[in-house]
Every structure is written in structure tokens, then in C-alpha cells.
Amino acid sequence: MRTVKEIAAITGISARTLHYYDEIGLLKPTNKSEAGYRLYDDKALEKLQQILFFREFDIPLKEIKTVMENPSLDKNQILKMQRGMLLAKKERMERLIKSIDNILKGDKAVDFEVFSKTEIEEIFNSMIRKMQPEQKNVLTEKFGSVEKFRKHFMEEASSEQTQRNWKKLVEWYGGKDLALEAATNPVGTDVIHACNLRQESIMQKLTERMKQGYPVTSFEIKEIIGEYAFVQKQLLRIKYEKDFMLQLANLYQTNEQIKKTCDTQYGEGVADFFAKAVKTFYKKNDEI
């Protein structure tokens, strides 16, 4: 058995941190001495090592606790998960070093890669695992096999334009790890259905207020846009929705097909009214 002081000396973390891990139930001591001091065995030390691996990626303690307590994950699965994370980090670091070396050599080319090959494969494998049989059949018919679709997906996902799009997603999600988590664990169809119904109700309410003569600057309209933005955040699981909503507003004003579909469903002028209301909500009056 090792004391808190001995564990701190081995790992480099403070005694206060070990006490806090005990308080939140992340790492309980194996036993306590007669004097009440915390004691840890080799198994506890091994668990602490896994926790510290996760902390290397700035993963919140609450999420680490959830992973560590997941009954479906054994030690090897957790280690494989951490190995994959380390490989992805290694790829990013090597890419950054290469970019710096190129700049030092006078090469001004910019590396736009957001997700590494390892991370793209993780996204693909997660997507395939969650696909229904009929969806896989459609892919097989179109590409010849799932493996051929994988090759197509990897090529497209690695392209500069796709990486640029993913960069924007990372901004909306508030971080790369959050974006990757959302990409590999999409929301369920029941959640999507519920959010779509709510968005439909919100758009109906917006249409009614528009016909009643409410201006886009009114509290009533801003309240509706705020509700719509909230639903988008829940559906897309994004942290910052402002840029997304403003881009959506631009689409409603510039994309003729989207404008036509919206106006056909809700009434003439609703698409433009929605776009102006969104820009007003986010104080982009200069763009109206």
C-alpha cells in the first residue's frame, strides 16, 4: 500500500488533487490506515494512470468518471481508446512540426487539415456501426461495396474543402474534441424527430407574427428566434450557434431553392423575414 505522499511523489500530482478525486468518487483509496490516512494499492495506481492519460487531453473529470465507470468497457478497451487518442495527437503534433519546418524553409503553404487520417477513420467506423442494414445496402448498390465507400469517404473527407468545412464545425462546437465526439456519436432519430416538430411549430409561430405585422426588432420576434436557436443547439449539440444561425440566414436570402421551399410551405416572404429576424437577433443590422 502507498500513502498519498508516496503516490504524489510517483505521479507528480498534488495531494490536494488526490483528495479531490476521492471526494468526487473518481479515485477512491483502497483502504485507510488506523490514523485515517488514505492508502492505495497497485490497482488504484493503475487506475490513476488511466485518469492521467485522459487528463492529457483536457477531458473534464465528469466525463472521465463516466468512461471509467462504464460497465461495458474493460481495461483493454480503455487502453485502446487512449492509444487511439494518443495516435491522433501524435499525428497533429507531427503535422504542426512539419508546417513549422516548411515555414522556416520559406514555404508559405497553409495546412488546412482539421481531422487526421486516424480521426477520419474513427468517424467512418462509428458511422458504419450505427447504420441500418438498408442504408448499407444502398451504399453497396451505389459504390459496389462498403469498402469502396470507405475509400471514397476517406478521399473526400481528407480534401482541403471538407477540412475547411470541418474547421467551421469545430468553431461551432467550441473545440475539436467536442466536434469529434458529435461526429462519432450522432443524436438518435427520436431526438431528431422531436426537434424537427418543434422547429415546425416555431416557424408556424413566426409566420403568424409576421402576418400580424410584428417587426423583426420586436421582442416577440426575437423571442421566437431565440427559441429556434436553442433547438438548433440541442439538435446539433453545438456550443456556439451564432455563426451557424447567421450562415443559415444568408442561405434563406441567397439560395433560391431554400427561399422557394420556405415560402411555399409557410407563405410568401417568410424566408426573407426569417433571415432578417435572425440577423437582427444577433445584431447584424448592417447586413439587413
Side-chain angles (χ1 to χ4, degrees):
M1 291 285 189
R2 295 180 175 85
T3 63
V4 167
K5 185 177 180 180
E6 289 172 329
I7 293 292
I10 293 172
T11 63
I13 67 173
S14 67
R16 173 183 276 185
T17 298
L18 284 170
H19 291 167
Y20 182 63
Y21 286 178
D22 181 11
E23 290 172 15
I24 64 175
L26 180 60
L27 180 68
K28 289 288 187 181
T30 308
N31 211 334
K32 288 190 177 181
S33 68
E34 292 183 1
Y37 294 113
R38 296 172 174 84
L39 299 173
Y40 299 85
D41 61 10
D42 289 342
K43 188 174 181 180
L45 185 60
E46 186 179 281
K47 184 176 181 181
L48 176 59
Q49 184 183 47
Q50 293 177 340
I51 293 170
L52 295 179
F53 270 136
F54 282 123
R55 289 300 289 153
E56 281 291 320
F57 298 92
D58 295 322
I59 297 175
L61 294 177
K62 184 178 179 181
E63 293 182 18
I64 295 175
K65 188 172 184 289
T66 299
V67 172
M68 300 292 286
E69 293 178 349
N70 188 337
S72 65
L73 293 177
D74 59 23
K75 172 189 168 183
N76 287 339
Q77 288 175 307
I78 292 175
L79 287 173
K80 286 178 181 178
M81 180 191 305
Q82 292 173 329
R83 185 177 187 277
M85 294 166 70
L86 286 169
L87 282 174
K89 185 174 183 179
K90 176 175 176 281
E91 287 184 11
R92 288 198 296 273
M93 295 303 294
E94 288 176 345
R95 190 168 67 249
L96 286 172
I97 292 171
K98 183 178 179 181
S99 295
I100 291 173
D101 288 342
N102 289 336
I103 292 172
L104 290 172
K105 292 176 183 177
D107 185 358
K108 297 182 180 180
V110 181
D111 183 2
F112 290 100
E113 186 174 77
V114 176
F115 289 130
S116 67
K117 182 180 178 181
T118 299
E119 290 166 331
I120 294 172
E121 287 179 341
E122 183 182 347
I123 293 172
F124 176 83
N125 291 333
S126 176
M127 177 178 64
I128 291 297
R129 282 197 305 270
K130 292 176 173 62
M131 272 188 181
Q132 297 297 319
E134 54 269 23
Q135 293 175 309
K136 290 183 180 180
N137 290 337
V138 170
L139 288 177
T140 301
E141 290 179 7
K142 182 175 182 179
F143 294 94
S145 68
V146 172
E147 178 56 31
K148 288 182 179 179
F149 171 64
R150 188 194 72 81
K151 183 179 179 181
H152 170 80
F153 179 89
M154 294 297 295
E155 290 175 353
E156 288 295 314
S158 301
S159 69
E160 182 176 311
Q161 184 56 54
T162 301
Q163 292 287 341
R164 285 177 185 269
N165 293 338
W166 272 343
K167 183 177 181 182
K168 181 59 66 176
L169 282 177
V170 168
E171 292 174 8
W172 294 344
Y173 280 98
K176 179 177 174 178
D177 290 339
L178 293 173
L180 185 60
E181 170 67 18
T184 53
N185 295 283
V187 297
T189 54
D190 53 339
V191 175
I192 294 174
H193 179 66
C195 287
N196 286 339
L197 288 177
R198 189 170 176 188
Q199 286 179 182
E200 170 69 19
S201 175
I202 293 170
M203 288 300 293
Q204 291 287 358
K205 187 162 50 174
L206 181 74
T207 302
E208 291 174 9
R209 295 291 184 272
M210 184 193 78
K211 292 179 178 178
Q212 291 168 358
Y214 284 86
V216 293
T217 55
S218 66
F219 171 79
E220 289 79 3
I221 296 300
K222 288 182 178 179
E223 186 178 34
I224 292 173
I225 296 301
E227 185 181 359
Y228 188 96
F230 175 78
V231 174
Q232 287 294 338
K233 286 184 72 173
Q234 299 303 305
L235 178 60
L236 301 175
R237 293 184 296 175
I238 55 180
K239 189 174 183 180
Y240 305 112
E241 88 290 349
K242 179 179 177 181
D243 287 343
F244 170 81
M245 289 292 292
L246 290 173
Q247 288 195 25
L248 185 64
N250 285 330
L251 283 174
Y252 271 74
Q253 285 187 317
T254 61
N255 188 297
E256 292 302 321
Q257 184 58 49
I258 291 177
K259 287 175 63 175
K260 181 179 179 181
T261 299
C262 180
D263 288 351
T264 299
Q265 184 174 357
Y266 299 107
E268 188 67 30
V270 173
D272 190 58
F273 185 83
F274 171 77
K276 289 181 177 180
V278 169
K279 291 183 177 182
T280 299
F281 182 84
Y282 291 102
K283 298 180 181 179
K284 290 285 183 177
N285 297 304
D286 57 318
E287 296 181 14
I288 298 176

